[in-house]
């Protein structure tokens, strides 16, 4: 699933994961949402924990894109929920549901490197 998401679901212009693709890889929603990027960070962390060869680079890329498009341009303490295919903000609201994804991402980052999938906060 991870490899398919990166191979077929990554916008070549922004490097962000698309909001939606069909099972055949056709892009059905070319915008990008912050929650998708936080889940990419989480997956990269888990891959790193399991010793995947490209995990460090993938984690750095995922974090850079998350900050560049969704966190750094936002108001202090906030986020941009949705950007278009060119990376321009589409949303003017910050859904509270995104806190779940941000918390999960930060929690995954804070777990010790030798933590297995059975350990959760």
């Amino acid at each position: 699933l991870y490899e398919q998401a990166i191979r077929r679901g990554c916008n070549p212009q922004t490097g962000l994961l698309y909001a939606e693709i069909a099972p055949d890889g056709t892009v059905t929603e070319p915008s990008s949402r912050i929650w998708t990027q936080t889940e990419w960070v989480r997956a990269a962390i888990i891959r790193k924990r399991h010793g995947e060869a490209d995990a460090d680079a993938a984690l750095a890329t995922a974090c850079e894109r998350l900050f560049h498009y969704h966190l750094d341009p936002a108001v202090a303490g906030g986020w941009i929920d949705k950007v278009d295919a060119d990376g321009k903000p589409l949303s003017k609201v910050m859904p509270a549901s995104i806190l779940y994804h941000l918390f999960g991402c930060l929690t995954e980052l804070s777990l010790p490197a030798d933590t297995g999938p059975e350990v959760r906060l």
Side-chain angles (χ1 to χ4, degrees):
L1 183 61
Y2 178 88
E3 289 172 11
Q4 288 295 322
I6 300 304
R7 187 174 329 126
R8 295 177 157 190
C10 198
N11 179 336
Q13 185 168 340
T14 62
L16 295 168
L17 293 175
Y18 290 118
E20 182 180 292
I21 61 172
D24 67 359
T26 304
V27 177
T28 54
E29 177 52 59
S31 65
S32 296
R33 301 274 317 271
I34 189 173
W35 74 264
T36 314
Q37 311 320 309
T38 62
E39 296 305 315
W40 181 12
V41 170
R42 289 176 76 175
I45 293 164
I46 292 167
R47 291 180 79 243
K48 178 178 173 145
R49 194 174 291 134
H50 288 280
E52 296 289 332
D54 65 340
D56 283 328
L59 179 56
T61 297
C63 287
E64 187 276 326
R65 305 270 164 70
L66 173 65
F67 276 86
H68 181 77
Y69 289 100
H70 294 284
L71 298 175
D72 284 344
V75 298
W79 56 87
I80 295 171
D81 179 49
K82 188 175 185 180
V83 297
D84 67 15
D86 296 320
K88 294 179 180 70
L90 284 175
S91 59
K92 295 183 182 186
V93 298
M94 292 181 280
S97 60
I98 298 306
L99 288 173
Y100 162 83
H101 296 282
L102 288 169
F103 181 78
C105 184
L106 292 172
T107 299
E108 203 65 59
L109 277 168
S110 69
L111 291 173
D114 62 347
T115 302
E118 69 282 351
V119 178
R120 294 287 179 242
L121 295 178

